Amino acid sequence: MKYSNALAAFMLLIFIVSTSEATLSCSDVIKDLKPCISYLVSGSGKPPAACCSGAKALASSAITSEDKKVACNCIKSSAKSITLNSQLAQALPGNCGISLSISISPNADCSNFG
């Protein structure tokens, strides 16, 4: 059950990655991207509609540099605990028809925000 392990890791990060200045929390990021986990691990083709809805919600809510930094660090930490298909992760924003300035990767450089 690697998906339940990934979910547990995501939930743990709710408590680890947080910042008081940002209006976006790691739990918000996790809630938005949770429908994408199985697609990003072993999917193919177009992402599910629920995944794209979550990615769009994240793109809309990650407005400030602080929000983007929180989202980036949350995604980066969470992505380290699961094996993502990096091609699907990089293509997710385009496949959902959105622009997302935050990389979905365990190697993301979050220092660009803030």
Side-chain angles (χ1 to χ4, degrees), residues 1 6 15 17 22-23 25 28 32 40 47-48 53-55 58 74 80 86-87 91 97 105 113-114:
M1 289 245 186
F15 300 106
V17 181
T23 58
S25 69
D28 295 327
D32 289 341
L40 292 173
S53 293
L58 176 60
C74 181
K80 288 180 180 179
S86 60
Q87 290 178 325
S105 167
F113 307 110

Side-chain angles (χ1 to χ4, degrees), residues 33-100:
L33 294 182
K34 183 178 173 186
C36 300
I37 293 174
S38 61
Y39 171 76
L40 292 173
V41 170
S42 60
S44 62
K46 290 283 187 186
C51 172
C52 286
S53 293
K56 287 175 187 174
L58 176 60
S60 296
S61 59
I63 306 290
T64 68
S65 293
E66 237 358 91
D67 287 338
K68 291 175 183 176
K69 191 172 192 174
V70 167
C72 181
N73 281 314
C74 181
I75 292 168
K76 180 178 180 175
S77 297
S78 300
K80 288 180 180 179
S81 65
I82 56 177
T83 304
L84 294 177
N85 177 319
S86 60
Q87 290 178 325
L88 290 175
Q90 289 174 358
L92 181 67
N95 286 340
C96 288
I98 62 168
S99 175
L100 187 63

